[in-house]
Amino acid sequence: MTHILIFGVILPLLLSTFLVSGWWKAWAPASAPLPGRAVALPLVIACAWVVGALGILDGIRFPPRSAIERLVVGGGFAGLLVLIELARPQAAWLKGLVRTAVVALLVGWVTISRTAMWGHAIWLAAAVGAGLLAALVGLGIERFGERRGQWPVAFLLTGLLTCVAAVLGISGSAKLGQLTGILAAVVGPMIVLALIRRDFSLATSALSSFLAIGFGLVAAGGVSAEVPAVSIGLLAAAALIPWGGMALHAKPTKIEVPTVLVAAAVVALIGVAVAVKSSPSLFEESADPYSSGTGSADPNPY
Amino acid sequence: MKLKSLRIASAGFLAATAVAFATLTPTATTPVVAQEAAASAANYEIDAVHTSVLFRVMHFNTTPFYGRFNKISGSVKWDEANPAGSSIDLTIDAASVDTNNEKRDQHLRGADFFNASEFPAITFKSKSIEKVGDVYKVSGPISFNGTTKDVTVEFTKTGEGADPWGGYRIGGEATFTLKRSEFGIKYMPNALGEDVKVIVAIEGIKK
């Protein structure tokens, strides 16, 4: 438990705070407006998350062999790749393209062991689909942040992460649940920064790495844990709900923000409930091996 | 008269039953067939129902806890006269792990332990078999959770003989210890022991 607290919460939190503070000092002195270069903060998220993940997992085999090990290595590279956004920080099309490509690459790499089962075409379609979905989710959250400020985005991201962690943990991988918790710990200082400085956009600056690692975690869960597809679908639907807030665009903040947050929470919690329902009970005995047939060469088990 | 007939009928029935059992009892034919088998190599298919793979791990450094795998397949080539010409090939379905608790089994199948969806098969394929005293030293690679390591285990042949259905069986057992972290299973280091004792008892049916 101490190990999890140190590596899963305290270390990534401190590292993220330290890096964010350093970045703040170097690029955005209090007298100057925060530049678009703050978009490079996704690298901070990726670095701090990878350090925390390596601590929780007690190191990984290299070259990586499992989906989780590939995710840890790929998460670091994703942090580097999203720096391409620096070229045109204000260009939404570039951001969308980078997010699609980075998430597709990461999800594809994490799920590469599925090519034998799914076939190359389905695997590729799943990776690209995940990339497009990530770009759509990212744009929706960004627009939501632009309309209604940063604190609702912080609530939304934290709530979604909590539900993803719960689904992964319930579905048979406590490790993936903990790795999701690290992401929440890493994003924490960004949320504080967003709250104390109005010109810092959490949705803009921290979202690309957040999306890449978040989608990677769910993909790893789909490969190596028994995550119900319905739960994954509901979590994705919850992440898309800020788009629904567009319908309330003309309405005051008082209506849109609680509507979006409550709707997202309800949909994500249904996803958690589906995972709970699909998962075996803690007190359920294993099935009798003789009842389902064991493929024995001997027809008489006695 | 009726009583005499009944006695005769009963005696006849008992005699017939005894003959029937005698033909079914392996001990009646074992020595002869065993000698024949010992003289030459034979190939066996693993009998999944009578083959057991158990594992033992310390829980909270307090109690040895046992689990098993329910789906095992493979083959054995056994040459008593020339052990070097023998081989053992085992495949275990990692998803068939059974600890008598479905929730724990789900956790064991997942990425924290056996990662059965990514690495569905646990395999052992012998490279060499050597007789040392009464036991056989069986060496070969064991693979699970994406890691392959060479191990040498002591295998004891526990018996062989005919079964009541006309088949011929051979059996043996090996007990050895693996370090789980060497196979990338590092989860819960404080709750579960590092050393995992594995007990493999195989029964083969002659092809």
Side-chain angles (χ1 to χ4, degrees), chain A residues 58 61 65 67-68 70 113-114 170 172-175 223-224 226 279-282 284 286 294 296 298 301, chain B residues 47 49-50 98 100-103 105-107 109-112 115 117-119 145-147 169 183 186-187:
Chain A
D58 195 16
R61 294 171 291 186
R65 291 168 216 180
I68 292 180
R70 286 191 293 273
S113 59
R114 274 289 177 270
I170 290 163
S173 180
K175 266 195 302 200
V223 169
S224 58
E226 296 172 7
S279 182
S281 156
L282 190 59
E284 194 175 325
S286 296
T294 55
S296 169
D298 183 350
Chain B
D47 175 9
V49 165
H50 298 105
D98 180 0
N100 198 33
N101 181 286
E102 189 51 44
K103 183 67 186 169
D105 294 347
Q106 182 202 40
H107 195 191
R109 287 193 296 270
D112 296 353
N115 204 354
S117 60
E118 281 200 273
F119 305 107
N145 195 30
T147 297
R169 292 167 185 255
F183 291 87
K186 300 176 184 173
Y187 190 69

Side-chain angles (χ1 to χ4, degrees), chain A residues 197-223:
Chain A
R197 184 130 181 195
R198 288 190 174 277
D199 57 349
F200 174 79
S201 167
L202 173 74
T204 305
S205 304
L207 206 54
S208 295
S209 275
F210 178 88
L211 286 170
I213 297 170
F215 271 73
L217 282 163
V218 175
V223 169

Side-chain angles (χ1 to χ4, degrees), chain B residues 162-203:
Chain B
D163 65 27
W165 301 283
Y168 191 85
R169 292 167 185 255
I170 190 169
E173 187 177 46
T175 302
F176 54 97
T177 301
L178 299 174
K179 292 199 177 295
R180 66 189 180 106
S181 67
E182 292 181 354
F183 291 87
I185 301 177
K186 300 176 184 173
Y187 190 69
M188 297 176 82
N190 298 324
L192 300 174
E194 161 72 346
D195 290 340
V196 180
K197 191 173 178 180
V198 183
I199 302 158
V200 180
I202 57 174
E203 183 164 312

Side-chain angles (χ1 to χ4, degrees), chain A residues 225-271:
Chain A
E226 296 172 7
V227 184
V230 176
S231 291
I232 294 177
L234 285 166
L235 288 170
L240 286 169
I241 279 180
W243 279 105
M246 294 282 278
L248 303 168
H249 182 58
K251 306 284 183 190
T253 308
K254 276 184 184 172
I255 295 177
E256 184 185 353
V257 170
T259 306
V260 167
L261 292 182
V262 169
V266 168
V267 174
L269 284 172
I270 294 172

Side-chain angles (χ1 to χ4, degrees), chain A residues 42-140:
Chain A
L43 188 59
V44 172
I45 292 186
C47 288
W49 182 79
V50 168
V51 169
L54 287 172
I56 282 279
L57 300 173
D58 195 16
I60 57 169
R61 294 171 291 186
F62 202 85
R65 291 168 216 180
S66 68
I68 292 180
E69 290 168 336
R70 286 191 293 273
L71 174 62
V72 174
V73 175
F77 279 109
L80 281 173
L81 284 175
V82 294
L83 292 181
I84 296 169
E85 289 178 9
L86 278 171
R88 296 275 300 275
Q90 305 305 325
W93 65 268
L94 179 64
K95 209 171 279 181
L97 194 67
V98 168
R99 283 174 186 164
T100 304
V102 170
V103 171
L105 281 171
L106 185 60
V107 169
W109 200 43
V110 165
T111 60
I112 201 162
S113 59
R114 274 289 177 270
T115 50
M117 186 189 286
W118 294 344
H120 285 86
I122 293 175
W123 164 74
L124 194 64
V128 173
L132 290 169
L133 182 63
L136 201 60
V137 166
L139 193 59

Side-chain angles (χ1 to χ4, degrees), chain A residues 137-171:
Chain A
V137 166
L139 193 59
I141 292 175
E142 262 186 32
R143 295 270 165 87
F144 182 52
E146 285 163 11
R147 285 197 308 274
R148 303 302 184 193
Q150 294 304 298
W151 72 265
V153 172
F155 265 89
L156 183 71
L157 294 183
T158 312
L160 284 174
L161 274 181
T162 306
C163 291
V164 169
V167 166
L168 293 172
I170 290 163
S171 303

